[in-house]
Amino acid sequence: MPKKKNKTYLGQLAEAADKLFHGQAVDQYAAICYRRRPDSQAIEVLLITSRETGRWVIPKGWAMDKRLPHQVAEREAWEEAGVKGKAKKKPFGYYTYLKTLDTGGKVPSIVQVHLVEVVALQTEFKEKGQRSIAWFPPHEAATHVREPELKGLLGKVESLLGRQATGGTVDRKAS
C-alpha cells in the first residue's frame, strides 16, 4: 500500500473551498497589534502562540454581543496578550484559515483583521500563562505564521504605517 502523503496547508484549504463558496464558513475578528520602537520609530508587530498547537498567530476571536468588529479585535488583543490599544475601525484586510472545533472537526473561518496601535501592555490579563508573546519586524513576523493571506497582510504593515508616519510618502533613501 502506498504511503499516504501529508496534505499541505493550501491543499487542506482547497478541500474546504466548497464550504466557503456555500456560506458555511464562520466569521472571526483579529488584531495586528503594532508599536513603534522609541529609539528608531521602526514598526514591530505582536505575535502570540495558539493554545492548542503553539503556532504563531495574531489575537482573534468570535463576534461578541454589542461590540463592533474593531472592538472585538481590541478585546481579543487584551484577553490574549495584555494589549491595551486603539483599533482602526476600517478593516486592514481578511484571511482564511481552517478552525479546529472542540469536536475535532474543521471549518473554514474568514477573519476580518484590524490594526491595533498598542498604547500599553498589561502584565495581568485573561490568558496569561496560556500563550507566549513576542515582537517582530513585520516581514519577519510574516515568516512565522502559517496562513498565506496573513503573511501578505503582515508584509503590508510596515509600508502602510511608514507612509502614514511621513504624511503619505516614504523616503527610501533615509536610514
Side-chain angles (χ1 to χ4, degrees), residues 10 42 53 59 84-85 100 103-105 112 122 141 144 148 153 159 163 165 167:
L10 287 175
T53 65
K84 284 294 186 183
T100 303
T103 61
Q112 181 176 306
Q122 297 187 324
H144 291 294
L153 290 174
S159 62
R163 278 196 312 270

Side-chain angles (χ1 to χ4, degrees), residues 2-61:
K3 186 177 179 182
K4 188 176 179 181
K5 288 185 176 181
N6 287 336
K7 292 184 181 143
T8 65
Y9 183 73
L10 287 175
Q12 293 173 26
L13 272 178
E15 288 181 352
D18 193 51
K19 288 181 181 177
L20 279 168
F21 293 128
H22 289 93
Q24 297 171 333
V26 296
D27 294 325
Q28 290 188 294
Y29 304 98
I32 292 180
C33 303
Y34 71 93
R35 67 182 182 188
R36 296 181 192 277
R37 291 181 51 109
D39 58 338
S40 65
Q41 291 299 298
I43 302 293
E44 294 180 316
V45 295
L46 180 76
L47 294 182
I48 63 174
T49 55
S50 70
R51 290 185 292 185
E52 296 80 23
T53 65
R55 289 183 309 103
W56 288 111
V57 297
I58 59 175
K60 68 181 167 300

Side-chain angles (χ1 to χ4, degrees), residues 25-138:
V26 296
D27 294 325
Q28 290 188 294
Y29 304 98
I32 292 180
C33 303
Y34 71 93
R35 67 182 182 188
R36 296 181 192 277
R37 291 181 51 109
D39 58 338
S40 65
Q41 291 299 298
I43 302 293
E44 294 180 316
V45 295
L46 180 76
L47 294 182
I48 63 174
T49 55
S50 70
R51 290 185 292 185
E52 296 80 23
T53 65
R55 289 183 309 103
W56 288 111
V57 297
I58 59 175
K60 68 181 167 300
W62 305 105
M64 296 178 189
D65 285 341
K66 299 182 182 176
R67 289 189 196 259
L68 297 171
H70 72 282
Q71 295 169 323
V72 173
E74 286 176 355
R75 180 66 183 202
E76 292 298 330
W78 177 79
E79 287 183 359
E80 297 181 2
V83 165
K84 284 294 186 183
K86 184 70 175 158
K88 297 195 181 293
K89 289 180 183 177
K90 182 180 177 184
F92 180 60
Y94 298 83
Y95 73 95
T96 52
Y97 82 107
L98 293 175
K99 171 72 178 163
T100 303
L101 302 173
D102 293 340
T103 61
K106 293 187 179 198
V107 63
S109 177
I110 300 171
V111 183
Q112 181 176 306
V113 180
H114 293 265
L115 290 174
V116 175
E117 185 171 11
V118 177
V119 296
L121 286 172
Q122 297 187 324
T123 56
E124 295 299 322
F125 53 95
K126 187 174 181 181
E127 296 182 14
K128 181 181 180 177
Q130 298 177 34
R131 303 173 183 274
S132 296
I133 65 171
W135 291 94
F136 297 96

